[in-house]
Amino acid sequence: DIQMTQSPSSVSAYVGDRVTITCRASRGIRNYLVWFQQQPGKAPKSLIYAASSLQSGVPSRFSGSGSGTDFTLTISSLQPEDFATYYCQQYDAYPWTFGQGTKVEIK
Amino acid sequence: EVHLLESGGGLVQPGGSLRLSCAASGFTFTTYAMTWVRQAPGKGLEWVSLLYSGGSSTFYADSVKGRFTISRDDSKNTLYLQMNSLRVEDTAVYYCAKEGYDSTGYAYIDYWGQGTLVTVSS
């Protein structure tokens, strides 16, 4: 199985800060990566697919990059509603696997 | 607007069975693959199973293979997950999710339901 490792596990930031989250795959997954946001007590929401394509309706302050084994999710200017847990997930091979999550907290 | 509504969760004893349903609306259900993902209390997300359109192909996580069965009724726009031989470690919120297709034709999760809680306990 492909292991997905996110870093950091948590990050504290101010509203308006730029935040970057990293996701590393245990082997190359081309660009078959999605990013999800999960606010407390809610279902996940899809943000980015194919590593860098913005899901419809997602604000442009979210962006993704990377290919192969190393990927990043960047929030250019953190907003109050962005405080949540973020997950990456590979869809290159079954079983699909998720990263362990990165919690973005208010500083 | 895509809408996915799960039902069928509840409390069940170890070794018991449960069938989850996911009623879909707002898109052409027959065209899309569908997925189940679960989340144990306080834990991360775990992919469970996927079923392609037409019921042509199914995939399962090793942790549920042989115990869970994914199926769909396209006439009812409904996805199912039959869960047998349930274990305490199957306790989780189970999410139904719709697949989109990227430019290469690979399926990825684009919409999620709100989830239904399954508790396996004696």
Side-chain angles (χ1 to χ4, degrees):
Chain A
D1 298 0
I2 300 172
Q3 285 197 326
M4 307 300 292
T5 304
Q6 289 181 232
S7 60
S9 296
S10 65
V11 57
S12 294
Y14 294 104
V15 171
D17 281 354
R18 181 184 184 89
V19 172
T20 298
I21 298 168
T22 296
C23 178
R24 175 164 288 177
S26 60
R27 69 137 171 98
I29 58 169
R30 296 171 282 185
N31 69 332
Y32 295 121
L33 185 99
V34 291
W35 288 98
F36 303 107
Q37 175 196 65
Q38 187 175 33
Q39 294 173 328
K42 294 191 174 182
K45 173 186 173 183
S46 303
L47 299 176
I48 303 276
Y49 67 96
S52 60
S53 296
L54 205 62
Q55 183 68 20
S56 175
V58 173
S60 59
R61 63 180 180 273
F62 291 94
S63 63
S65 65
S67 184
T69 59
D70 295 309
F71 302 87
T72 59
L73 173 70
T74 299
I75 309 171
S76 60
S77 177
L78 203 62
Q79 298 302 300
E81 60 269 29
D82 300 337
F83 291 95
T85 300
Y86 294 83
Y87 295 91
C88 63
Q89 179 238 317
Q90 65 81 18
Y91 60 103
D92 182 64
Y94 298 105
W96 288 355
T97 45
F98 289 86
Q100 81 279 15
T102 294
K103 189 173 184 179
V104 177
E105 299 174 301
I106 300 172
K107 198 168 189 178
Chain B
E1 181 187 359
V2 172
H3 190 60
L4 302 168
L5 183 63
E6 301 93 336
S7 60
L11 175 63
V12 61
Q13 292 189 337
S17 298
L18 214 54
R19 188 177 83 156
L20 305 183
S21 300
C22 171
S25 61
F27 64 101
T28 306
F29 183 73
T30 54
T31 304
Y32 292 93
M34 299 291 294
T35 284
W36 289 97
V37 175
R38 67 184 181 183
Q39 186 170 36
K43 302 296 185 184
L45 300 168
E46 179 188 15
W47 173 79
V48 173
S49 183
L50 178 143
L51 174 61
Y52 277 97
S53 59
S56 55
S57 295
T58 57
F59 297 88
Y60 296 93
D62 286 346
S63 57
V64 307
K65 201 173 294 182
R67 300 187 299 123
F68 290 11
T69 302
I70 191 171
S71 63
R72 61 194 296 161
D73 185 337
D74 288 346
S75 68
K76 296 181 179 179
N77 286 359
T78 301
L79 177 74
Y80 301 100
L81 186 68
Q82 177 67 44
M83 304 186 295
N84 299 329
S85 303
L86 282 161
R87 305 167 180 168
V88 171
E89 55 265 34
D90 294 320
T91 295
V93 173
Y94 284 73
Y95 294 103
C96 162
K98 171 190 169 293
E99 301 296 316
Y101 297 101
D102 68 17
S103 61
T104 67
Y106 272 55
Y108 69 94
I109 294 172
D110 60 357
Y111 291 95
W112 298 72
Q114 289 305 300
T116 186
L117 176 62
V118 172
T119 303
V120 184
S121 175
S122 55

